[in-house]
Amino acid sequence: MTQPTTASAATKSYSKVYKVAKAQLGKRYGWGSTGPSSFDCSGLTSYVYKKGASIKIPRTAQAQYNKYKHVKYAHAKKGDLVFFGSSVWGISHVGMYIGGGKMIDSQNRGVITEAVKAPWWHYVGTARVTTLS
């Protein structure tokens, strides 16, 4: 006899997290903003995980970097967080990896999709908040 699947197992899907992130595209940047009309970088990632996966993550990019398990960029999965700054102690930006070398992030041009390895960012690391199906 097979066991029924639980509803909670299905709540942490990449498609739900991505849908929330994609819906924010085009919204304006606001330093210290956590949405829903404007976002700073970590405000966006916090909002996306809260609304898309019911996970409360730390508020700042540095705190997000410090909290989660780091993975090599070559092993990045959709939904992982990608971090930028001067060093592991100087994280100043975060985005959400969406595959194909791209991320959704909030920066001075607002919430956009851009390349993780864009020349204006100094990539520092990748972290996995949770395993998304």
Side-chain angles (χ1 to χ4, degrees):
M1 184 175 204
T2 60
Q3 295 293 324
T5 58
T6 62
S8 62
T11 59
K12 292 179 178 58
S13 72
Y14 172 71
S15 63
K16 287 182 181 181
V17 171
Y18 178 69
K19 183 177 179 181
V20 172
K22 189 175 175 185
Q24 310 320 307
L25 289 171
K27 293 190 177 176
R28 63 185 174 82
Y29 175 84
W31 187 84
S33 297
T34 58
S37 59
S38 66
F39 296 93
D40 69 8
C41 64
S42 56
L44 175 67
T45 53
S46 297
Y47 181 88
V48 165
Y49 264 92
K50 183 177 181 185
K51 297 293 184 184
S54 299
I55 297 173
K56 185 176 181 353
I57 67 174
R59 174 62 187 93
T60 67
Q62 183 71 60
Q64 291 173 9
Y65 179 84
N66 292 346
K67 178 166 180 138
Y68 297 107
K69 180 182 178 188
H70 300 148
V71 296
K72 292 183 179 188
Y73 182 72
H75 299 141
K77 293 184 177 182
K78 293 176 180 178
D80 285 350
L81 300 180
V82 285
F83 296 91
F84 309 86
S86 58
S87 71
V88 297
W89 302 279
I91 301 296
S92 58
H93 189 68
V94 61
M96 187 184 82
Y97 186 68
I98 59 170
K102 300 215 179 271
M103 67 177 169
I104 292 178
D105 66 326
S106 182
Q107 40 109 318
N108 60 1
R109 293 180 288 157
V111 180
I112 63 169
T113 300
E114 67 177 326
V116 171
K117 300 289 181 111
W120 46 87
W121 296 121
H122 179 257
Y123 170 81
V124 175
T126 302
R128 183 150 305 140
V129 173
T130 189
T131 301
L132 297 170
S133 56

